[in-house]
Every structure is written in C-alpha cells, then in structure tokens.
Amino acid sequence: MSIAFYLIAALTLAGGLAAVLLKNTVHCALALTVAFAGLALLFLELDAQFAGFAQILVYIGAVAILVVFAILLTRGSETPKDGVYSRNWLAGLFIAAAVFAVLGWAVLQSAGGLPQGAVAAPTVTVLQIGNALVSRYVLPLEIVALLLTAAMIGAVIVAMHEKERQK
Amino acid sequence: MLGEGILKGLAETAKNFFGSFVTAERLTTVEYPEERIAPIEAARVFPFLVYDGGDWEAGLRCVACQICEKECPPKCIFIEKSKDKKPDALGKAQFYPAKFDIDISVCMSCQICVEVCPFEAIKMNTEFELATDDRFGGLLLDREHLARSNAYYHAIHATEAARVDAHLAAEKAKADAKAKAAADAAAAKALAPPAGGGD
Amino acid sequence: MTGTMDQIFVLLQHWLTGFLPAAWQGPARVVLSVAVIVGLFPALFALTTVFERKGLGRIQNRIGPNRTGWLGILQPVADGIKSLTKEDIVPLSADGAVHFLAPVVLVVAVFMGFAVLPMGRKMVLVEMDAGLLFFFAMGASTELSVFMAGWSSRNKYSLLGAMRAVAQMISYEVPLLMSSVAVVMITGSLSLTRIVEAQDQYTWGFPHWYIFTPWGFAGFVMYAIAATAETNRSPFDLPEGESELVAGYHTEYSGFKFALFFLGEYLAMFSISGLGTTLFLGGWSAPFSWLGWIPSWIWFFSKLMLSIFVFIWLRGTLPRLRQDQLMNFAWKFVLPMTLLNLMVAALWRFLGEGWERWVICSAILVLAYVAMGRAGMHREHFGPRRYRYAE
C-alpha cells in the first residue's frame, strides 16, 4: 500500500463523491470522468498496462462523451429548481452501505486464498490477452461482437425511422 | 476516378508555390508601401475638378450649375454659387463655384456626377491614400484640394482626356464658326446699302 | 563518429545526470527528457506557424509575413506577445472552472502523446509494451476537452461547433485505429520501438518501410485522411470554420487560453504526424542503407516536417468539407477501406514471400478503391429544373 495507491484512491473517491454531490449534471459527468481516470491509474499502478489504457480509451474517450451527449440532448443540463437531493436519501445511504458491506465481505473472503508474502506480479502481455481471447474466451468474444452489431443496426433503424416519419 | 480532382489541385498549388519564387506571374502582390502598382486607366476613387491652363481659380471649368449636387445619391457635394460672373472657355460669362466641397467619407464613387456634368468639369481621380487623423474636417475636400489640371487628367486617364479635349475643341470650333458667321452677317448687313432712303 | 552523432543526445543526457548522486539519476534523466520535449515542440510549433503562413501565402500567389525579422521569422514572437498581453475575457454566464480547465486538459493530453514516440535510435521517453495503445488513449482524451470548451462557453454556436467537432473526431477515430492495427498485425507488437526496428531493414538498398507495401500505402493514405480529420485541419476544419461558426468551440476564448488551444492543435498535428512516420514511414530509419551515416533523429524530424508541409499543402489546396459530406466519407468510404486493408494485410502475411502477394494485394486494393469510389461516393447530377416551386 504505497503512497501512490493512497493518492490515486483519494482522487477516485473524490471524483465519485463529486459525481453524486454536485448540482450541475454536466459537472457530475466530468467528475465521473475523473473517477474513471483514477481507476485507470489504479490499473496502471498494478502493472496491468492493457487494462489501464483500454480503460482510458474506452471509458474516458467514449463512455464519458456518451454520458455527456445524453445529458445535453435531453433536458438534464438545466439545474433543477427544487434541489438535487431526493427526500429519501437516508434509505439510499443505507442501501449503498449494504452493497458496500457485501462487496467488502466478498473481497476479504477471497483474500484469504492469496499467496502470503510479496510475490512478483505476473506480467500479462497483450499477446497473452489476445491469445486467450481467441482460444479460451472465444465464445464471449463472439457474443460481444454480435451484441455490438445488433446495437449498431438498432441505432441505424431508429435513426432511419425518424427520417421516414418526417417525410 | 475518386481523388483525381484532388491530385490535380495539389499539382496546381505546387506549381503556384514553386513558381512564385521564379516568375512574377505567380506572385502578383507587391510590397506596399515601398512599391506600388500603377492603377489601371479605368480606375476611379473620388471626384476632382478639372481646370485648364496654369491658374486653378481662373481656369476652373465648373460653372456651378449644381446638377451634380442634385444628382448625387448620397448628397455629398455642397456647392455655393458666386455672386459675379466670369468668362468661360467658350467666352460666355458664367457663374463659378465660390465653394465646392465633397465629403469623401460619404462619396460612394458611383460616377453619376461625372456622367451628368454638361461642362466636363468634374472627373474621377485615382488617388486613394487620403487617410487622415482629423476626424471632423479631414475628409471634407474643398475647392482647392479638388482642383487638378488638365495635364494631370491626361496623365491618369489618357484616352478619356483625349476624347474630352476633342469634344471641347469641336464645341469651341462650332461656337467660333457660329460667332464668325454672326459677325460676317452683321458686317455684311453693315456694308449693304440701308433699305429705303439714302438718296 | 556517426555513432556518436546519432546518440549525441543520449550521451549528453547521461553526462549531465552523471553529476548527481546515483539514486537521483533515473528520475533526473526522465525530468531532463521531459523538459527537452516541453521546450522543443513548442519551439517547432512557433516555426511551423511561420512556415504555414508563408507557405499558404506562396500557394496563394502572395508573400507571407515578412516584416518581423528576416523573412518574417520573428512573427511567432510578435504573436506570442500579442496573445499574452490580450485581455482574458470570460463570458459572465460561462462555467468558470470548466472554461479554465478545457485548454489545460487539451495541452496536457497532447503532450502525453509525445512520451512514446521514438525520435531516434534508443531515444524514447518511456519504453512501453503497449505504446500505441497509450498514444490512442491520450488522443481520445482530447475529445473531452473540445466538448468542455464548447459547453462551458454558454454560447449556442460554440456548443454546435463542439458537437460537430466531437462527432467528427469520434467518427474518424475508428479508421485511424484500424489502419494502425494493420501495422500492429504485421509487426506482431504494440510497442512503437519494435515497429520502427521492424522497418529498419534493407533489401538491395531499399528500406522495408510499410508505406512501400500495398496495404501499407493504402493504410498510410487512410491514416493521413483520418489524422487530418482528428486534428480539425483543413479540409475538415468545419468545427473551427471561420466563416461559419466564428471560431466554433473556441469562440469565447481570448488571449493566452486561445493561444493554448492553438498550441494544442498544432502539437496534436505534430504527435499524430510523428505516429504516422513511426508506423508507416519507418520512424528514424534512413531511406537507403548507404545514407545510414546521417543521425537517426535528423531523419525522424525531417519526415515529421515533411508531413507538416503536406498538411499545409492540403490546407492551401482543398475547400472545406461540409459536415454531412465529412461524415459520409468517414463511414461509407474510409471505414470499409480500412477493414478491407486489414484483411489484405492478413493475406499479405499468409501468402509468404514472393511476387504473387504484391500483385494480388495491389489488385484487390485498387479494385476496391475504384468500386467504392463509384458506388460509395454517389454524387447527384443536377439536371434542368422540372418543378416551378420548391416543395
């Protein structure tokens, strides 16, 4: 648990907290982007190069932009007049704490099975990831590809329908 | 084929780029204000008043008929007629402008004043470096600043000036011929025996 | 001697940090390299602005700036002084924090991209196994800054420009990555140093640069198109079209922040050209084996400046593309061509050495280009008007 880990964790937590506490929705989206960046830095600190850079490329480069576009093209960019925080925030806090407790218990349970003492981190190269994707995990890969194709076709159909209705 | 136009365009701009170091045809600008391109003959900027001879006050062709003042679309000409008359090029006594101001900040160079002037007195100048820092009177040119000699007119618009001179000479010749004919008729009448009486 | 000239900067770096205690030498080397990059590329940017203005001037039959210093070389100094002393106007209803951070994010993201470019033999700032992936990750972050700039200005036109710019950058990101993936496939590694080393071989004096292969040439052309679109350069500069949207997403920026946007755009141009030279033009390797005595970093920067001149040349030649023409082009022409290029690169690899693979791959690419050119870029042919009133 080096100083770098604490700094990055603080950044991620700050981003996450800002994402729920800020009033302006677009500010929340940008704070979420900071949280994504923090996660990417955590991956890089653990020497998972591919995961870290893919996180930046996909989450910050695409998902954050998608979130921001969605906020802008709906009416979420206007600050709501009657406050942002819902009335039953206590129940929400309770549920969040419960989820955190479950996750924490799961992580700590599996931590017992890890090798004791300092072990060299396994270097996973992109070559190994690629090999695994096309040999052992080829079914998930193909399903994801199918899903993406379906999403693209759906988007095109939705957009096309609008054009026809206008005519 | 796709991309053919782009390649032709790229070739043309490359020719422009390398040609601009070699030929003047591909580098058409000059380094103003050290060099200046002479304006073409039909260029026009703001009007000026033509005078014949050496003295601008005496030779001014304008007779203050005020047609240009009335026809000017933005009304930028301000004329004040004189009280006395003086003889013009054809010998007739005419008024002359005591004041002739053109506000060049308003003038739109439409040349209508030139087209309607019956005396070929106002023509278009090609001088454009008239910027001044006097905001209130600097762009109101008076009679003295507007007057330019006929020689200057020949220098800036050679063919036009030649045509105008020919026209004016023809008019003068016609007027002279008419005057001569009138003088001859009067002289003949004076020499002829008086009708009736004189025995 | 040539070896020393080639490695002169590395030797200089080691000599300078040799004065420090051993524990500090590693970080000091990194700090020194970073300082050099942060100093060199903005200086190159200043030089490029002069070249651009004079180059565009000559293309347009006029002289460029020539009053400030000999041949106008001090023009960027004048521009720098101007932008530093201009009043920094922030609109009253603008989002202050985001408005301030947008140019910062842009410049930081773009500078990070330089960290993985091999600028000479053994002259990379950070040697990464997934160097190419890192570069594209940093490129993706620039889109966010464009959006931040447009949105925080609270200006309809800035927002419109930002939306267009982001849509354009996302659309052309895919062909950019796809054309690089072909290179990665053939080299077998994401590391940029490995890619350059794979191109640093010679057959009968001719280099093994990827641009001299059919798939490499097609890939390079598409990479160049996508790179021009990514950096919002003419003819893809509608988002910052001066005649349409004032200045698009950087309308409300004045003084130094605008200078930062300008710097960010040019630096993005440098880094993407640097990547293009690394992937397709052989990075720091010499064009002929007998020219190997010229230092490697001279080759890298010459190729970089050549790419910049081509950018300037394109800017002076082509008119601006309309937004829908731009998007049409990206999705209906460039993307299918890059996918085909990927397959052709795979075919190239599996056909093995010999003249057959040259003929087959070139034939497939040329046929596809002609076919897609006719079909994909369907232009309307305007005939005589057959109606009296518009619908």
Side-chain angles (χ1 to χ4, degrees):
Chain A
M1 304 289 243
S2 56
I3 183 97
F5 170 74
Y6 284 116
L7 283 172
I8 299 173
L11 180 72
T12 315
L13 282 174
L17 274 174
V20 295
L21 292 177
L22 286 176
K23 283 207 271 288
N24 192 334
T25 329
V26 178
H27 283 174
C28 298
L30 292 174
L32 196 62
T33 313
V34 172
F36 291 153
L39 278 176
L41 287 171
L42 278 172
F43 282 133
L44 290 171
E45 203 237 343
L46 293 169
D47 271 334
Q49 281 189 12
F50 184 74
F53 296 137
Q55 166 89 2
I56 298 180
L57 190 56
V58 172
Y59 269 89
I60 300 182
V63 172
I65 306 247
L66 174 69
V67 168
V68 157
F69 263 77
I71 293 175
L72 279 178
L73 295 176
T74 58
R75 278 192 305 153
S77 57
E78 302 159 7
T79 38
K81 289 185 202 50
D82 50 352
V84 206
Y85 309 120
S86 70
R87 239 158 302 175
N88 31 10
W89 59 272
L90 195 57
L93 189 65
F94 184 66
I95 294 176
V99 169
F100 180 69
V102 168
L103 280 176
W105 175 83
V107 167
L108 286 173
Q109 280 286 76
S110 67
L114 287 175
Q116 300 301 320
V119 190
T123 45
V124 180
T125 60
V126 183
L127 186 63
Q128 288 174 319
I129 296 179
N131 270 337
L133 269 179
V134 295
S135 55
R136 192 166 158 210
Y137 299 103
V138 68
L139 188 60
L141 180 70
E142 296 300 331
I143 293 178
V144 166
L146 212 61
L147 190 65
L148 282 173
T149 316
M152 258 182 38
I153 295 179
V156 171
I157 290 181
V158 166
M160 252 173 33
H161 261 287
E162 284 179 18
K163 247 185 19 182
E164 275 176 17
R165 225 188 296 141
Q166 263 176 21
K167 280 200 184 156
Chain B
M1 201 187 68
L2 189 70
E4 203 178 328
I6 296 181
L7 289 172
K8 280 201 270 211
L10 286 174
E12 182 62 36
T13 39
K15 269 195 281 207
N16 255 2
F17 181 81
F18 292 113
S20 72
F21 291 104
V22 185
T23 55
E25 190 192 289
R26 298 222 182 234
L27 185 69
T28 47
T29 54
V30 295
E31 293 196 43
Y32 185 88
E34 286 94 20
E35 306 165 37
R36 283 176 174 77
I37 306 182
I40 58 175
E41 216 193 296
R44 67 184 196 226
V45 189
F46 295 123
F48 73 96
L49 293 171
V50 193
Y51 65 84
D52 299 307
D55 183 12
W56 68 270
E57 270 201 88
L60 210 55
R61 287 189 198 163
C62 175
V63 299
C65 64
Q66 290 175 309
I67 292 180
C68 58
E69 191 183 18
K70 296 189 184 93
E71 295 288 330
C72 176
K75 299 271 183 291
C76 66
I77 305 185
F78 307 101
I79 301 180
E80 254 183 42
K81 251 188 163 96
S82 62
K83 298 283 185 285
D84 58 327
K85 292 191 180 196
K86 69 170 168 61
D88 71 345
L90 296 177
K92 232 168 82 169
Q94 301 271 23
F95 287 111
Y96 60 91
K99 265 225 208 134
F100 194 112
D101 296 337
I102 296 185
D103 189 352
I104 59 172
S105 67
V106 178
C107 172
M108 60 185 197
S109 312
C110 62
Q111 208 172 246
I112 287 180
C113 52
V114 173
E115 287 169 18
V116 299
C117 177
F119 298 94
E120 316 274 7
I122 187 169
K123 298 290 171 194
M124 291 309 273
N125 203 349
T126 54
E127 217 178 281
F128 56 88
E129 291 163 352
L130 298 165
T132 171
D133 50 0
D134 176 13
R135 189 200 272 193
F136 298 106
L139 291 176
L140 186 70
L141 300 183
D142 63 359
R143 207 170 51 136
E144 186 172 346
H145 290 111
L146 285 173
R148 297 274 190 282
S149 70
N150 197 19
Y152 175 79
Y153 183 36
H154 271 274
I156 57 172
H157 298 301
T159 26
E160 211 182 299
R163 188 182 48 77
V164 163
D165 275 359
H167 175 235
L168 284 175
E171 269 198 7
K172 187 154 169 63
K174 226 173 34 186
D176 278 348
K178 218 162 83 169
K180 196 156 159 322
D184 280 345
K189 215 153 154 220
L191 283 174
D199 261 329
Chain C
M1 177 56 195
T2 53
T4 332
M5 271 313 284
D6 191 49
Q7 296 294 296
I8 186 127
F9 293 109
V10 182
L11 294 170
L12 211 62
Q13 182 191 41
H14 281 269
W15 176 72
L16 278 171
T17 53
F19 292 121
L20 297 168
W24 289 20
Q25 277 187 11
R29 263 200 284 272
V30 172
V31 167
L32 192 61
S33 310
V34 166
V36 167
I37 289 184
V38 169
L40 175 69
F41 281 99
L44 218 57
F45 151 72
L47 214 62
T48 304
T49 47
V50 185
F51 282 146
E52 166 148 28
R53 289 175 70 171
K54 290 198 79 68
L56 281 178
R58 290 277 168 180
I59 288 179
Q60 295 163 357
N61 296 341
R62 57 183 172 88
I63 322 174
N66 65 347
R67 300 271 166 174
T68 45
W70 180 65
L71 287 186
I73 208 110
L74 291 178
Q75 184 70 32
V77 177
D79 285 339
I81 295 177
K82 172 200 80 170
S83 64
L84 280 173
T85 53
K86 263 200 182 165
E87 183 191 351
D88 189 22
I89 303 174
V90 178
L92 204 58
S93 64
D95 202 340
V98 181
H99 190 86
F100 180 81
L101 283 176
V104 173
V105 169
L106 178 71
V107 174
V108 166
V110 171
F111 262 123
M112 300 274 265
F114 286 113
V116 281
L117 290 180
M119 301 187 206
R121 208 169 267 122
K122 298 199 200 36
M123 278 165 69
V124 199
L125 181 60
V126 184
E127 174 105 29
M128 259 193 250
D129 266 340
L132 192 65
L133 196 59
F134 172 78
F135 188 90
F136 285 129
M138 290 307 126
S141 316
T142 55
E143 298 166 19
L144 199 64
S145 109
V146 164
F147 166 74
M148 279 164 70
W151 179 78
S152 67
S153 306
R154 298 265 193 219
N155 180 346
K156 279 195 260 301
Y157 301 103
S158 297
L159 191 60
L160 204 57
M163 290 297 179
R164 286 186 181 180
V166 172
Q168 175 186 316
M169 286 166 106
I170 291 185
S171 314
Y172 279 96
E173 187 105 22
V174 187
L176 192 76
L177 266 81
M178 287 289 179
S179 34
S180 325
V181 166
V183 171
V184 172
M185 204 167 71
I186 298 287
T187 317
S189 161
L190 277 173
S191 156
L192 289 174
T193 39
R194 275 281 309 129
I195 292 177
V196 175
E197 278 162 20
Q199 297 179 67
D200 194 25
Q201 303 153 19
Y202 301 93
T203 326
W204 304 323
F206 283 98
H208 277 211
W209 296 355
Y210 291 139
I211 194 178
F212 294 130
T213 60
W215 59 268
F217 184 73
F220 180 68
V221 169
M222 280 171 302
Y223 180 89
I225 295 174
T228 323
E230 279 286 310
T231 49
N232 284 350
R233 266 309 265 193
S234 240
F236 298 104
D237 63 350
L238 196 72
E240 59 175 53
E242 280 125 23
S243 39
E244 276 101 24
L245 290 168
V246 190
Y249 57 89
H250 41 70
T251 310
E252 301 288 350
Y253 285 89
S254 57
F256 197 57
K257 292 192 196 142
F258 182 77
L260 276 181
F261 267 115
F262 207 54
L263 175 75
E265 182 187 313
Y266 275 75
L267 285 179
M269 208 164 77
F270 285 137
S271 72
I272 228 169
S273 311
L275 188 72
T277 38
T278 310
L279 292 176
F280 295 100
L281 292 175
W284 44 255
S285 77
F288 299 106
S289 50
W290 45 270
L291 282 173
W293 54 274
I294 299 180
S296 56
W297 41 273
I298 288 192
W299 285 119
F300 179 81
F301 281 102
S302 320
K303 290 178 207 174
L304 188 73
M305 292 318 279
L306 192 70
S307 318
I308 302 296
F309 287 140
V310 172
F311 270 128
I312 295 175
W313 190 14
L314 277 176
R315 181 177 178 179
T317 311
L318 296 170
R320 188 175 290 147
L321 280 183
R322 228 173 42 217
Q323 186 73 8
D324 64 319
Q325 288 172 334
L326 210 144
M327 302 293 260
N328 242 2
F329 189 58
W331 293 103
K332 290 195 191 165
F333 183 78
V334 188
L335 183 62
M337 278 300 287
T338 44
L339 290 173
L340 186 70
N341 192 37
L342 206 55
M343 284 192 275
V344 167
L347 197 65
W348 172 272
R349 173 109 174 218
F350 288 110
L351 279 178
E353 295 280 340
W355 60 269
E356 297 95 356
R357 65 176 182 172
W358 287 85
V359 174
I360 296 178
C361 293
S362 318
I364 296 178
L365 283 169
V366 169
L367 277 165
Y369 177 69
V370 174
M372 240 183 295
R374 280 175 197 273
M377 308 310 296
H378 170 69
R379 260 177 311 172
E380 304 184 19
H381 291 276
F382 298 107
R385 196 175 63 161
R386 285 190 299 273
Y387 53 88
R388 281 181 68 214
Y389 304 105
E391 292 294 319

